[in-house]
């Protein structure tokens, strides 16, 4: 038996999400430390679905709204060894390398503020993430005005000088 479904993630306003796979219970503490040591002003919530032993959704963070949203998303996904990290006052670009370098992190499925749908497979054993649909499809190829706008935006938000 194999079933597929999509799960739309709940991303609170003015927040970003990082969805990934990890393999060990210490993920919650390691990811907490990674966030606060990299972007101390970040507000965040984290949830991790344990896939052995008591199979609990473990959580942490410094913002209850974001922590609760992370828990709801993790439980809705229902896939083992999946983590959901929801951020405010920080962007995934500020944390992706640090998160990817946590020893137990296996993969990052997406990092986004866009609407995200997760494709989940269900078997007799459990559930797993097959992939994500992040945002909308392209509408055109950028032209010269779009290139200028992109470059201006990156300078406006401080990522380029």
């Amino acid at each position: 038996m194999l079933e597929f479904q999509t799960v739309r993630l709940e991303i609170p306003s003015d927040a970003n999400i990082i969805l990934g796979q990890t393999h060990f219970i210490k993920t919650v503490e390691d990811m907490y430390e990674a966030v606060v040591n990299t972007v101390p002003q970040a507000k965040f919530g984290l949830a991790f679905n344990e896939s052995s032993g008591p199979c609990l959704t473990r959580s942490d963070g410094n913002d209850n709204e974001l922590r609760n949203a992370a828990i709801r998303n993790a439980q809705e996904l229902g896939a083992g060894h999946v983590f959901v990290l929801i951020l405010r006052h920080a962007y995934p670009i500020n944390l992706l390398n640090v998160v990817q370098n946590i020893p137990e992190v296996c993969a990052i499925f997406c990092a986004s503020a866009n609407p995200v749908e997760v494709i989940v497979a269900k078997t007799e054993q459990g559930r797993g993430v097959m992939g994500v649909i992040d945002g909308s499809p392209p509408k055109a190829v950028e032209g010269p005005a779009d290139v200028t706008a992109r470059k201006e935006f990156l300078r406006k938000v401080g990522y380029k000088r």
Side-chain angles (χ1 to χ4, degrees), residues 1-160:
M1 173 189 86
L2 175 64
E3 297 176 23
F4 291 98
Q5 74 177 86
T6 59
V7 175
R8 182 173 290 272
L9 297 182
E10 172 195 324
I11 305 174
S13 63
D14 299 325
N16 280 264
I17 194 165
I18 299 175
L19 175 68
Q21 187 170 25
T22 184
H23 74 90
F24 194 49
I25 193 172
K26 76 185 194 80
T27 297
V28 173
E29 291 171 341
D30 288 356
M31 200 164 296
Y32 184 99
E33 292 169 357
V35 174
V36 299
N37 286 325
T38 306
V39 187
Q41 76 276 9
K43 297 296 180 192
F44 68 98
L46 167 66
F48 160 67
N49 287 340
E50 191 174 49
S51 69
S52 61
C55 294
L56 301 173
T57 297
R58 308 281 183 169
S59 68
D60 208 337
N62 62 9
D63 182 287
N64 284 334
E65 176 197 4
L66 300 179
R67 181 178 182 174
N68 290 333
I71 292 168
R72 285 190 300 276
N73 281 312
Q75 290 186 320
E76 185 69 24
L77 290 168
H81 281 166
V82 167
F83 72 85
V84 177
L85 175 60
I86 301 179
L87 305 162
R88 275 201 187 111
H89 309 303
Y91 297 100
I93 194 170
N94 305 128
L95 291 162
L96 268 177
N97 284 336
V98 173
V99 169
Q100 289 172 332
N101 284 321
I102 296 171
E104 57 272 20
V105 170
C106 304
I108 303 291
F109 298 120
C110 75
S112 188
N114 296 327
V116 174
E117 290 181 333
V118 181
I119 302 164
V120 176
K122 180 181 177 184
T123 68
E124 290 179 22
Q125 178 176 317
R127 295 164 60 96
V129 173
M130 298 291 98
V132 299
I133 299 169
D134 182 349
S136 304
K139 298 173 184 166
V141 175
E142 74 176 350
D146 302 305
V147 171
T148 299
R150 171 173 41 89
K151 290 180 178 183
E152 287 173 358
F153 172 75
L154 290 172
R155 281 146 185 82
K156 177 183 173 187
V157 297
Y159 282 106
K160 295 289 181 179

